[in-house]
């Protein structure tokens, strides 16, 4: 694979369909996006891996949904890793890039450097939130943390909440190619069976962990055979094939699914993007009284705020904040 080909597929999501099996899918490659997300923080390795996995899932899931504004993943637990949050912003126009951001909150003193990251989230939930913009009611779906990985949680979410059999194969890590500086790369494949005309009704729970639904509880007959066959083919993928850069996503699909007649569509480019701004911070502080704002004011007489996603730093005159503000914001603030 040439450098030009590699660059062409970096930070893209390629939609495809397996016509023989009635299965749709996505191939994602994240390079600069993931490197930007992770290098601006000093996460422990276990937390880095979780954020990388969540960002890759967000790219794959976000591109699957007919989205007008924002899809978010939220993972919350009672362990050392408390929160992982990601956002996928839909392209603002045809041909524009989607935007992704991600962030994690953790207790540095409790994170074990050698323990698997997922186990350090503890008991909690995996949630997908859809916000289609002004005039639309946001949607939220939640499933318990289960299965040993964030991708397994996402698979359970789609089976349980949407009754859509879904499979993820993901790989991520630091690239150390000769002649290049070390940086993060990630790649993955998502398979999803097309929606059935009518969803099954299960009264006794599913076969998944804790009685949650799994793919085998939803599909049977020929559909079940097609799903099993596609998954067996995906099982043959190697981690380096997922990450690249030796194999283009189109070549990967042919290598894995040529008998399933893969059909590809236009790739979607993605980039790092944050929606924070001084106006949004000011608006979030508008619910506080002058007394509350006083408690937030530093010894230097300013109120500061930092964006957890992009690291942007904001400084405000406390007299311009809250519902008891005595001055309007200065033009230069």
């Amino acid at each position: 694979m040439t450098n030009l080909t590699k660059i062409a597929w970096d930070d893209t999501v390629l939609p495809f369909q397996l016509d023989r099996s009635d299965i749709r899918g996505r191939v994602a490659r994240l390079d600069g996006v993931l490197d930007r997300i992770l290098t601006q923080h000093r996460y422990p390795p276990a937390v880095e891996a979780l954020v990388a996995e969540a960002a890759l899932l967000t790219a794959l899931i976000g591109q699957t949904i007919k989205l007008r504004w924002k899809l978010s993943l939220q993972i919350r637990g009672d362990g050392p890793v408390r929160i992982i949050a990601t956002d996928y912003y839909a392209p603002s126009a045809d041909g524009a890039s989607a935007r992704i951001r991600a962030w994690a909150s953790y207790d540095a003193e409790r994170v074990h450097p050698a323990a698997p990251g997922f186990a350090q989230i503890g008991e909690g939930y995996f949630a997908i939130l859809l916000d289609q913009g002004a005039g639309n009611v946001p949607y939220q779906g939640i499933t318990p943390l289960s299965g040993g990985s964030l991708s397994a949680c996402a698979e359970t979410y789609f089976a349980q909440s949407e009754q859509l059999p879904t499979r993820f194969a993901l790989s991520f890590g630091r690239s150390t190619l000769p002649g290049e500086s070390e940086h993060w790369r990630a790649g993955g494949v998502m398979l999803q069976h097309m929606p059935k005309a009518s969803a099954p009704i299960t009264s006794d729970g599913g076969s998944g962990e804790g009685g949650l639904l799994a793919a085998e509880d939803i599909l049977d007959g020929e559909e079940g055979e097609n799903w099993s066959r596609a998954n067996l083919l995906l099982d043959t993928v190697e981690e380096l094939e997922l990450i690249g850069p030796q194999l283009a996503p189109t070549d990967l699909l042919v290598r894995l699914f040529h008998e399933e007649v893969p059909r590809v569509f236009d790739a979607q480019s993605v980039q790092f993007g944050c929606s924070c701004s001084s106006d949004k911070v000011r608006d979030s502080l508008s619910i506080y009284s002058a007394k509350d704002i006083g408690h937030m004011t530093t010894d230097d007489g300013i109120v500061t705020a930092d964006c957890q996603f992009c690291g942007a730093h904001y400084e405000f005159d406390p007299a311009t904040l809250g519902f008891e503000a005595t001055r309007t914001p200065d033009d230069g603030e």
Side-chain angles (χ1 to χ4, degrees), residues 68-183:
R68 289 194 292 273
W69 189 44
K70 182 176 71 171
L71 174 140
S72 303
L73 263 60
Q74 288 190 7
I75 299 99
R76 293 178 178 264
D78 59 5
V81 182
R82 297 183 291 250
I83 301 171
I84 303 168
T86 70
D87 291 319
Y88 176 100
Y89 294 94
S92 58
D94 290 342
S97 296
R99 294 176 293 139
I100 297 177
R101 63 181 189 173
W103 163 76
S105 172
Y106 62 97
D107 185 339
E109 295 182 355
R110 295 173 59 205
V111 171
H112 194 292
F118 184 80
Q120 299 191 67
I121 304 174
E123 299 291 328
Y125 67 82
F126 177 99
I128 292 181
L129 299 87
L130 293 177
D131 191 335
Q132 298 286 24
N136 295 279
V137 178
Y139 166 82
Q140 176 176 282
I142 296 177
T143 189
L145 293 173
S146 64
S149 68
L150 296 181
S151 57
C153 291
E155 291 170 359
T156 299
Y157 165 83
F158 280 107
Q160 185 72 23
S161 298
E162 310 294 334
Q163 298 208 328
L164 289 176
T166 306
R167 166 80 186 281
F168 294 94
L170 310 180
S171 182
F172 41 85
R174 293 181 181 273
S175 174
T176 55
L177 291 175
E180 295 185 5
S181 59
E182 185 178 85
H183 63 283

Side-chain angles (χ1 to χ4, degrees), residues 27-68:
V27 181
R29 292 272 172 85
L30 298 185
D31 182 77
V33 170
L34 185 59
D35 204 54
R36 171 72 185 277
I37 287 172
L38 293 177
T39 55
Q40 64 189 359
H41 299 281
R42 294 185 177 179
Y43 295 131
V47 179
E48 277 188 320
L50 288 170
V51 174
E53 184 177 8
L56 187 52
L57 286 171
T58 303
L60 288 163
I61 297 171
Q63 209 284 329
T64 306
I65 296 170
K66 292 182 179 179
L67 193 64
R68 289 194 292 273

Side-chain angles (χ1 to χ4, degrees), residues 16 31 40 43 52 67 154 225 228 231 282:
F16 68 90
D31 182 77
Q40 64 189 359
Y43 295 131
L67 193 64
E225 292 177 1
S228 296
N231 277 265
R282 189 182 298 282

